[in-house]
Amino acid sequence: LPAVRISRRVDPLFLLQGGQILRVSTALSCLLGTPLRVRNIRAGRSQPGLRPQHLSGLEMVRALCDGKMEGGEIGSTEVTFTPGKIKGGTHLADTKTAGSVCLLMQVAMPCVLFAAAPSELHLKGGTNAEMAPQIDYTVMVFKPIVEKFNLTLDCIIKRRAVVKVMVQISPVKQLSPITLTDRGTVTKIHGRAFVAGALPVKIAKDMASAAVRCIRKEVRDLYVNIQAVREPDNEAFGTGTGIIIVAETSTGCLLAGSSLGKRGKSADKVGMEAAEMLLGNLRHGGAVDDYLQDQLIIFMALADGISRVKTGPITLHTETAIHFAEQLTKAKFTVTKSEDDGSSKDAYIIECQGIGLLNPNL
């Protein structure tokens, strides 16, 4: 079996993203029909081994391909996965915690693209979780950009907080490569600030106002439209606050900044954090933001042809995704400094010669 060993003897960046290594390697194992062993899972963490959200993702992939798994239990530091044939239909996953449904989607979605029939993923967990993409980001940024690979994705939010999300995906024969190197000019900035539960809508308005003030210090010629909303009680579970701000460009690029509230953190600080994140993504000149980089790597590796994406500084998540995509698919990645006249010193081009994976079912 090809073994993915997470060890202190390798570059430290591979110690940081234990869950991501599982997601990338398990999805590729499923797609390529290659058995996989992952060792030393989250070995450097205070709670080593699989957590509920990791296990629910693994179990979902095992189920959608009729695979076999050994070591699939909470706290396990070694998992052996043997994939079967990917099938469409309805697939369920429940983190049983507030673990991110967006991370569940990351592991399952590439797999069902190569199923024999359309799929529905019914995901239960957190929609707006710390250290993971917000569901709003997935819908507003990830979805329209990933569809450039010539796929169709629908994401329906049933309820927010610890809730259900339904994802509908049609299978593809093959993924098309993408080119995202010309960011163009920013034409629109919009977003939503939300509160849920017992919190007053004034908090959302304060987040939005603070974000607008921050953005206007650098972007003066555009109207910034951030809606302040209180989620209806029947569409939310629990209490929480958050904000996402998206910049759209003349070439169809989407870059975002987001932040979540928590006890003791002022509404102004939440709004300003999201605004600063967006402005940082606009300053580096990339065509994607820092949080989309690594999410595109697996699709670039599978696509038929050369994909090129201009980014800001390469993140540890992206380095990790590239490493394991190359190791498991034999796709060829290169990362070079962008030489464009208008690029900042922090702009890079990620190029990938994809393997052109074909769906044998279509």
Side-chain angles (χ1 to χ4, degrees):
L1 298 178
V4 176
R5 176 177 288 275
I6 309 168
S7 163
R8 290 186 180 276
R9 290 190 294 273
V10 300
D11 190 304
L13 70 89
F14 297 128
L15 302 176
L16 301 178
Q17 320 299 348
Q20 189 204 20
I21 293 170
L22 281 170
R23 289 190 296 275
V24 172
S25 58
T26 306
L28 290 173
S29 167
C30 175
L31 286 161
L32 300 171
T34 305
L36 179 80
R37 181 179 298 125
V38 185
R39 298 173 176 150
N40 294 352
I41 297 168
R42 304 178 76 252
R45 302 293 178 90
S46 58
Q47 287 186 303
L50 294 175
R51 305 308 305 149
Q53 64 269 30
H54 306 129
L55 182 57
S56 57
L58 290 173
E59 288 175 337
M60 185 179 211
V61 174
R62 180 194 57 73
L64 65 81
C65 72
D66 281 331
K68 297 178 181 178
M69 180 167 59
E70 297 174 19
E73 56 197 41
I74 303 299
S76 174
T77 58
E78 179 169 328
V79 169
T80 300
F81 179 73
T82 306
K85 182 180 178 181
I86 302 170
K87 58 188 181 183
T90 300
H91 305 289
L92 311 175
D94 183 353
T95 65
K96 299 180 176 63
T97 66
S100 171
V101 293
C102 300
L103 297 182
L104 285 178
M105 194 176 93
Q106 279 186 18
V107 67
M109 179 189 156
C111 303
V112 294
L113 283 171
F114 291 86
S119 300
E120 276 192 5
L121 309 179
H122 292 254
L123 311 176
K124 189 175 181 182
T127 56
N128 298 81
E130 294 278 2
M131 307 298 291
Q134 291 190 36
I135 192 66
D136 304 278
Y137 182 90
T138 297
V139 172
M140 298 168 71
V141 178
F142 174 77
K143 175 187 182 301
I145 297 300
V146 81
E147 286 185 329
K148 294 179 185 289
F149 286 97
N150 195 29
L151 60 92
T152 302
L153 165 69
D154 287 312
C155 187
I156 300 163
I157 305 168
K158 297 289 190 181
R159 288 186 80 188
R160 287 175 178 268
V162 182
V163 293
K164 282 188 176 180
V165 169
M166 182 171 72
V167 182
Q168 297 172 321
I169 302 168
S170 298
V172 297
K173 181 67 177 174
Q174 199 170 44
L175 294 175
S176 300
I178 64 167
T179 299
L180 287 172
T181 52
D182 179 9
R183 192 178 76 191
T185 57
V186 177
T187 57
K188 183 179 180 182
I189 298 178
H190 61 98
R192 70 191 307 271
F194 69 87
V195 296
L199 299 174
V201 74
K202 181 183 183 300
I203 294 175
K205 292 177 179 177
D206 289 347
M207 288 189 292
S209 296
V212 170
R213 286 195 303 273
C214 186
I215 291 168
R216 281 191 176 145
K217 292 176 182 176
E218 294 190 30
V219 183
R220 298 179 181 86
D221 55 345
L222 283 178
Y223 175 62
V224 181
N225 179 24
I226 303 175
Q227 289 183 304
V229 298
R230 184 181 182 279
E231 303 292 359
D233 290 339
N234 65 339
E235 294 179 12
F237 179 86
T239 298
T241 68
I243 182 172
I244 181 167
I245 316 163
V246 178
E248 298 185 13
T249 79
S250 56
T251 56
C253 296
L254 299 165
L255 301 96
S258 63
S259 183
L260 293 174
K262 60 183 177 182
R263 190 181 297 275
K265 187 175 177 181
S266 72
D268 277 17
K269 184 173 183 182
V270 177
M272 290 170 65
E273 274 185 359
E276 285 292 350
M277 186 184 294
L278 174 65
L279 291 172
N281 282 315
L282 293 177
R283 288 182 200 116
H284 62 52
V288 301
D289 62 42
D290 295 348
Y291 295 91
L292 193 61
Q293 279 183 29
D294 68 285
Q295 296 184 63
L296 298 180
I297 297 302
I298 190 169
F299 301 100
M300 294 170 73
L302 298 171
D304 180 31
I306 297 175
S307 293
R308 299 181 79 242
V309 177
K310 185 177 179 183
T311 73
I314 304 299
T315 66
L316 296 183
H317 274 91
T318 300
E319 293 272 13
T320 305
I322 288 173
H323 176 85
F324 287 99
E326 286 189 323
Q327 190 178 39
L328 295 171
T329 69
K330 309 307 179 190
K332 301 299 181 187
F333 282 86
T334 58
V335 179
T336 55
K337 278 270 194 179
S338 176
E339 302 297 334
D340 294 352
D341 293 339
S343 294
S344 76
K345 62 178 175 24
D346 293 325
Y348 293 81
I349 300 289
I350 302 174
E351 184 170 295
C352 174
Q353 175 65 62
I355 63 172
L357 185 68
L358 283 167
N359 187 338
N361 304 298
L362 297 184

